């Protein structure tokens, strides 16, 4: 690890608990209570030093979402651009600060694109038009892309809707 053109040195002090977070594709993981051992000679000619990480505990996936999401599985429309281009999407899930939609792969949009997603929830008998920004996109398979969209601010009305959906979907008799 290089910072300002200088290698960073790591030293373990007794009773110091270290954690490392890594990104692996679209997921993030944390290793807790790790030990670092510096190796001064490596076999590769491009690197002089290496860092060996050992951990007795299993890796923990990180939940990057701060809000509960409910599965929707309803058809919707996505609009974007000044000319209001529109295409069909499947509204996958929703929370108080974001929405996930699935689109055909040919409908490629860039991260940062502002969109309006419209759908009807029959269970709550309500139509939604939600303005949001694409913050994540992941290829689901060879034909589909999942777009993660974030609302401009946390929406208390959406928080109530998600709580209602959660109660209706997971109602125990």
């Amino acid at each position: 690890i290089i910072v300002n053109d200088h290698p960073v040195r790591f030293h373990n002090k007794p009773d110091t608990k270290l954690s490392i977070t890594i990104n692996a594709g679209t997921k993030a993981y944390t290793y807790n209570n790790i030990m670092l051992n510096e190796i001064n000679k490596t076999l590769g000619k491009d690197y002089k030093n290496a860092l060996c990480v050992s951990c007795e505990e299993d890796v923990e996936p990180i939940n990057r979402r701060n809000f509960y999401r409910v599965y929707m599985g309803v058809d919707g429309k996505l609009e974007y651009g000044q000319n209001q281009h529109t295409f069909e999407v499947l509204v996958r899930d929703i929370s108080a600060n974001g929405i996930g939609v699935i689109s055909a792969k040919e409908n490629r949009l860039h991260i940062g694109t502002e969109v309006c997603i419209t759908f009807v929830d029959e269970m709550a008998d309500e139509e939604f038009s939600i303005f949001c920004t694409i913050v994540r996109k992941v290829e689901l398979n060879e034909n589909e892309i999942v777009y993660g969209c974030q609302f401009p601010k946390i929406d208390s009305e959406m928080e109530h809707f998600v709580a209602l959906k959660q109660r209706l979907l997971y109602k125990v008799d």
Side-chain angles (χ1 to χ4, degrees):
I1 299 173
I2 305 287
V3 175
N4 296 329
D5 296 324
H6 297 332
V8 175
R9 298 249 181 238
F10 294 93
H11 299 285
N12 279 340
K13 294 180 181 176
D15 300 325
T16 301
K17 296 186 178 187
L18 301 173
S19 297
I20 290 182
T21 301
I22 62 165
N23 288 317
T26 61
K27 304 242 183 242
Y29 298 93
T30 297
Y31 291 88
N32 292 312
N33 301 321
I34 62 167
M35 292 295 294
L36 299 176
N37 299 308
E38 198 164 344
I39 301 171
N40 292 323
K41 294 182 181 179
T42 63
L43 299 176
K45 61 182 177 182
D46 294 333
Y47 304 101
K48 295 178 185 170
N49 297 316
L51 198 59
C52 177
V53 177
S54 60
C55 181
E56 292 182 12
E57 299 175 23
D58 200 3
V59 65
E60 295 178 11
I62 294 175
N63 181 2
R64 292 185 279 194
R65 297 183 176 123
N66 294 326
F67 295 92
Y68 184 80
R69 289 185 171 253
V70 291
Y71 175 76
M72 295 295 293
V74 298
D75 293 328
K77 292 188 187 288
L78 183 147
E79 277 185 37
Y80 69 99
Q82 290 180 341
N83 297 330
Q84 296 181 330
H85 301 285
T86 303
F87 56 83
E88 304 291 320
V89 293
L90 175 70
V91 177
R92 182 170 86 168
D93 54 31
I94 194 163
S95 75
N97 74 331
I99 187 169
V101 297
I102 300 173
S103 168
K105 204 171 195 175
E106 65 261 11
N107 301 325
R108 288 194 179 269
L109 295 174
H110 298 289
I111 291 176
T113 302
E114 293 180 357
V115 299
C116 178
I117 299 169
T118 306
F119 66 94
V120 174
D121 181 67
E122 293 177 6
M123 202 179 238
D125 193 31
E126 198 168 347
E127 182 174 348
F128 292 90
S129 288
I130 301 171
F131 292 92
C132 49
T133 303
I134 296 174
V135 294
R136 185 173 38 262
K137 75 177 186 180
V138 177
E139 289 190 17
L140 188 60
N141 55 45
E142 63 185 37
N143 300 318
E144 297 173 311
I145 295 178
V146 176
Y147 291 104
C149 305
Q150 187 173 31
F151 303 151
K153 61 180 183 163
I154 297 168
D155 188 329
S156 60
E157 184 180 319
M158 196 56 66
E159 244 177 334
H160 292 295
F161 171 73
V162 169
L164 171 66
K165 288 289 288 185
Q166 186 178 6
R167 283 192 303 274
L168 292 172
L169 288 171
Y170 304 110
K171 185 177 170 181
V172 179
D173 294 327

